[in-house]
Amino acid sequence: MFDIIEARKRKESYLNDPFCKYDINTKPLISRYFKNSEKIEVQFEKDICDFTMDEVIKLLKSFDSRSRNTIILIMSYFNDYFKWCLKEGFVQNNNIINFFDKKIMEPFLKEIVPLEFLENKYITKDELLSYLNETYDYSLKFMIYAIFNSILGDEYEELINLKVSDLEEESQTINLITGRKVKVDELFIELMKKASQETYYHPDGIVESNSREKKYYKESFYVLKGYGNRGRLENEPIPVQVIQRRMRDYQKNVSNRWLNATNLYRSGLIYYIKNIFEERNISFKDAIYTKINRQEYRYEEEIQKHINDFGSNMTTRMFRLHIKDIIELIS
């Protein structure tokens, strides 16, 4: 008879055993994943170390993750736990196959995290333009368009410090507080100007707000303004929390909870690199994955330059990992 209390004690023993190689910061995370597995353990009346392949698939689906990389990480934690259980003699003799092994389970990742789960995390240029039509507020339109076009920085510093005076319209470039000079298009310039002239906040998308409930923007040196008392000139950029709150409002308007700065910025970076290589008739997938030999990628240094030009410190290797889940959507 399966005893959940004993199963918990077993996992605590594993986390305290020298065999468990993880540091003190990672162990609480593993403990939470163990805790989240208990419902499935009770359902199948067995410890996860005794799960069959079908049971492991159901367990991994229960995490309701929208990232295949997260599922791979969970598998790696449980894989080590299985090895410890096997060493300690806890694994039943009729089930000594480790179904948390990545080589065994990787073919099932598409079933565990279907491609449609990932679609909302990758935003194409056409989808971005359609999102612009989901709000009357030009400051919101400009916010997501600017992030897609690499205007972000640490703690949103490039975005919140942006002023109309930073624009060089003739050369279609923008000077950023970080020292970067970025090429922009006509739509960027149009949205930027209209955002700076916006009078009140439209949090409800294309639903007209009641005039009594309108939140009027303050006068400000900056393109993105706070709202409140309009009588005082605002000479400080808006706090990061305001940007994050407005992003949540936008998520509701477009019914996409994955519309956030991280996914917008990453999607913009993909679009940027994709266009550069397609001008040379090289597909994005070939640019990212073509190898010279077993270790070296053909366009590694060039892609790293493009990533840095976009304003990111990410390595090409990390970029490759970030897009692994969605390469089918990009291609």
Side-chain angles (χ1 to χ4, degrees), residues 175-191:
N175 297 301
L176 303 175
I177 194 170
T178 53
R180 291 201 305 134
K181 191 167 189 171
V182 175
K183 188 77 175 173
V184 295
D185 60 16
E186 291 181 1
L187 179 56
F188 183 100
I189 295 171
E190 177 190 347
L191 294 176

Side-chain angles (χ1 to χ4, degrees), residues 272-284:
Y272 175 72
I273 294 174
K274 188 169 182 278
N275 274 2
I276 290 172
F277 280 98
E278 285 184 348
E279 287 176 359
R280 290 148 55 187
N281 294 317
I282 301 170
S283 73
F284 180 80

Side-chain angles (χ1 to χ4, degrees), residues 161-177:
N161 284 285
L162 208 55
K163 304 172 184 176
V164 174
S165 59
D166 295 325
L167 174 66
E168 295 181 12
E169 192 165 357
E170 188 173 335
S171 62
Q172 290 192 324
T173 55
I174 195 87
N175 297 301
L176 303 175
I177 194 170

Side-chain angles (χ1 to χ4, degrees), residues 117-161:
F117 282 11
L118 307 172
E119 286 177 344
N120 287 338
K121 299 176 77 172
Y122 169 55
I123 300 154
T124 66
K125 181 69 175 285
D126 287 342
E127 287 169 333
L128 177 74
L129 295 176
S130 72
Y131 285 159
L132 298 183
N133 295 324
E134 296 297 324
T135 181
Y136 289 128
D137 195 302
Y138 277 94
S139 69
L140 290 181
K141 293 175 191 277
F142 177 70
M143 178 181 72
I144 69 165
Y145 196 73
I147 295 172
F148 187 88
N149 283 278
S150 88
I151 315 299
L152 190 61
D154 294 337
E155 295 294 310
Y156 298 87
E157 61 179 334
E158 292 180 340
L159 184 63
I160 62 178
N161 284 285

Side-chain angles (χ1 to χ4, degrees), residues 154-286:
D154 294 337
E155 295 294 310
Y156 298 87
E157 61 179 334
E158 292 180 340
L159 184 63
I160 62 178
N161 284 285
L162 208 55
K163 304 172 184 176
V164 174
S165 59
D166 295 325
L167 174 66
E168 295 181 12
E169 192 165 357
E170 188 173 335
S171 62
Q172 290 192 324
T173 55
I174 195 87
N175 297 301
L176 303 175
I177 194 170
T178 53
R180 291 201 305 134
K181 191 167 189 171
V182 175
K183 188 77 175 173
V184 295
D185 60 16
E186 291 181 1
L187 179 56
F188 183 100
I189 295 171
E190 177 190 347
L191 294 176
M192 183 179 186
K193 288 180 176 179
K194 289 183 176 179
S196 69
Q197 297 165 1
E198 193 70 272
T199 55
Y200 67 89
Y201 182 48
H202 305 67
D204 300 318
I206 56 176
V207 177
E208 278 286 5
S209 300
N210 186 301
S211 59
R212 295 180 181 179
E213 299 173 352
K214 287 177 181 175
K215 297 178 179 178
Y216 286 90
Y217 285 121
K218 300 175 183 179
E219 295 293 323
S220 177
F221 294 110
Y222 299 95
V223 176
L224 298 179
K225 300 169 282 191
Y227 42 73
N229 187 347
R230 288 192 293 165
R232 184 168 60 87
L233 185 64
E234 192 75 19
N235 59 5
E236 294 290 334
I238 59 175
V240 169
Q241 293 81 359
V242 174
I243 293 287
Q244 293 170 335
R245 187 160 59 245
R246 291 179 187 176
M247 190 67 76
R248 288 194 293 271
D249 287 340
Y250 218 140
Q251 289 172 356
K252 294 175 185 175
N253 293 337
V254 300
S255 301
N256 181 2
R257 68 188 179 101
W258 299 105
L259 181 70
N260 55 42
T262 299
N263 290 331
L264 278 167
Y265 188 84
R266 181 183 64 173
S267 297
L269 176 58
I270 291 168
Y271 178 78
Y272 175 72
I273 294 174
K274 188 169 182 278
N275 274 2
I276 290 172
F277 280 98
E278 285 184 348
E279 287 176 359
R280 290 148 55 187
N281 294 317
I282 301 170
S283 73
F284 180 80
K285 189 172 183 178
D286 285 345

